[in-house]
């Protein structure tokens, strides 16, 4: 009877979802453990007299080497003994595709890890700083430039290749995420920030298009309840901060929001500032 096979299909789909969820949990664990390790390495390098630029180069080289090791492992893998020729052909074609992708990641990791050591030092200084007494009155000075969240959001809404349609978004109102991301914009960065955000989105257009189509609303990964921030206009600000001040962003996020949302976004965006690895 046609209905006899339906429970098995549902069971298989549930198993796939559970297995995928377990994989994500394991990846998230490794990401979290590596965050502390990278922070420790930056501290040790600073104490040894290395500049921020030198520290970035050292850590980026190590991370690129780790990806290169995965490339070697994948490239040397073989199909099960006794497989049919068609299966072997498909196996090796898949291996070549994965190996090429890993090579691109290694190349990117080795050359784009800038600013992380400086962010680490800033975060350490912030955490170590004792509470300040109430400030005394000082002579009036020029008022600091403040960011208007509505203006920033309006700018982010202008990029359809990076933002899902309003009806498809997970959160109709993502103001909590936007506020935390904007809190990681340093005072000296506020002037002209919207223009820098627009330049960032234009520069990463292809990357954002792929992220939205692969992980955004309606995609298979999103159907498992993960990657809920993909497609939100607020996410453009989060990604810009992830590139510019990753440690500061994470410290502010941990104070206000569930860290799993940021971990998922870091995993999707790429290796440059994946603090949760």
């Amino acid at each position: 009877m046609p209905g006899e096979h339906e429970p098995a299909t549902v069971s298989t789909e549930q198993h796939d979802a559970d297995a995928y969820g377990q994989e994500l949990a394991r990846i998230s664990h490794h990401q979290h453990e590596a965050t502390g390790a990278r922070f420790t390495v930056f501290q040790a390098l600073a104490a040894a007299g290395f500049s921020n630029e030198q520290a970035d180069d050292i850590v980026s080289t190590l991370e690129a080497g780790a990806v290169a090791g995965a490339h070697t492992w994948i490239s040397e893998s073989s199909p099960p003994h006794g497989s049919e020729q068609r299966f072997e052909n498909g196996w090796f074609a898949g291996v070549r595709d994965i190996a090429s992708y890993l090579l691109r990641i290694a190349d990117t990791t080795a050359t784009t890890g800038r600013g992380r050591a400086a962010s680490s030092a800033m975060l350490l200084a912030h955490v170590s700083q004792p509470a300040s007494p109430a400030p005394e009155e000082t002579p009036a000075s020029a008022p600091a430039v403040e960011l208007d969240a509505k203006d920033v959001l309006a700018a982010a809404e202008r990029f359809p290749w990076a933002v899902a349609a309003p009806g498809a978004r997970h959160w109709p109102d993502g103001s909590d995420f936007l506020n935390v991301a904007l809190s990681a914009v340093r005072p000296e960065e506020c002037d002209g920030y919207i223009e820098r955000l627009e330049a960032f989105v234009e520069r990463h257009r292809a990357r954002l298009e792929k992220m939205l189509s692969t992980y955004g609303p309606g995609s298979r990964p999103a159907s498992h309840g993960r990657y809920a921030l993909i497609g939100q206009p607020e996410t453009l600000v989060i990604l810009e901060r992830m590139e510019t001040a990753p440690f500061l962003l994470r410290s502010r996020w941990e104070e206000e929001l569930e860290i799993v949302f940021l971990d998922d976004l870091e995993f999707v965006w790429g290796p440059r500032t994946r603090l949760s690895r």
Side-chain angles (χ1 to χ4, degrees):
M1 294 178 64
E4 291 179 353
H5 299 293
E6 292 179 2
T9 302
V10 173
S11 176
T12 300
E13 290 177 352
Q14 182 62 47
H15 174 75
D16 290 344
D18 290 344
Y20 183 67
Q22 291 170 8
E23 287 182 10
L24 289 173
R26 289 163 60 192
I27 288 293
S28 180
H29 170 74
H30 290 307
Q31 291 175 332
H32 180 75
E33 290 294 309
T35 301
R38 187 184 297 106
F39 188 70
T40 300
V41 169
F42 280 134
Q43 283 184 268
L45 291 173
F50 288 88
S51 68
N52 289 336
E53 292 75 15
Q54 290 172 319
D56 282 332
D57 287 339
I58 290 171
V59 172
S60 294
T61 300
L62 286 171
E63 292 179 342
V67 179
H71 176 279
T72 300
W73 189 89
I74 288 291
S75 299
E76 294 177 351
S77 63
S78 302
H81 180 69
S83 300
E84 294 183 1
Q85 187 62 47
R86 286 187 303 172
F87 182 88
E88 289 189 356
N89 292 341
W91 176 285
F92 287 119
V95 165
R96 286 193 297 272
D97 287 343
I98 295 172
S100 296
Y101 187 66
L102 286 172
L103 176 58
R104 290 196 297 273
I105 293 175
D107 289 339
T108 301
T109 301
T111 58
T112 59
R114 300 293 179 268
R116 295 186 295 175
S119 295
S120 175
M122 290 179 60
L123 177 59
L124 180 62
H126 175 75
V127 172
S128 304
Q129 182 176 296
S132 302
E136 299 178 359
E137 288 190 12
T138 56
S141 58
V145 177
E146 293 186 1
L147 286 174
D148 187 317
K150 291 182 180 179
D151 290 343
V152 176
L153 186 63
E157 291 273 15
R158 292 197 284 267
F159 300 102
W161 63 83
V163 176
R169 296 173 196 166
H170 189 86
W171 284 285
D173 177 18
S175 58
D176 289 345
F177 299 105
L178 179 60
N179 291 337
V180 170
L182 290 178
S183 74
V185 178
R186 294 180 285 264
E188 65 271 19
E189 297 176 303
C190 291
D191 189 17
Y193 176 75
I194 289 179
E195 289 74 13
R196 284 198 295 275
L197 176 66
E198 291 172 338
F200 170 84
V201 178
E202 291 285 359
R203 185 166 65 253
H204 294 286
R205 175 168 185 162
R207 195 173 174 185
L208 290 164
E209 285 179 335
K210 184 176 181 180
M211 184 175 72
L212 181 62
S213 63
T214 305
Y215 293 94
S219 67
R220 182 175 180 183
S223 69
H224 293 289
R226 305 296 293 265
Y227 312 116
L229 282 173
I230 308 299
Q232 296 285 132
E234 301 83 10
T235 294
L236 301 185
V237 183
I238 300 170
L239 293 175
E240 188 279 329
R241 288 292 88 191
M242 195 182 295
E243 289 280 317
T244 307
F247 283 97
L248 180 57
L249 172 65
R250 177 162 283 269
S251 68
R252 298 292 170 80
W253 195 286
E254 289 176 340
E255 295 172 357
E256 302 289 340
L257 301 169
E258 292 185 40
I259 203 63
V260 65
F261 294 124
L262 186 62
D263 287 348
D264 283 349
L265 190 57
E266 287 177 346
F267 178 75
V268 170
W269 183 240
R272 178 178 185 270
T273 53
R274 194 174 296 163
L275 305 183
S276 56
R277 283 189 306 181

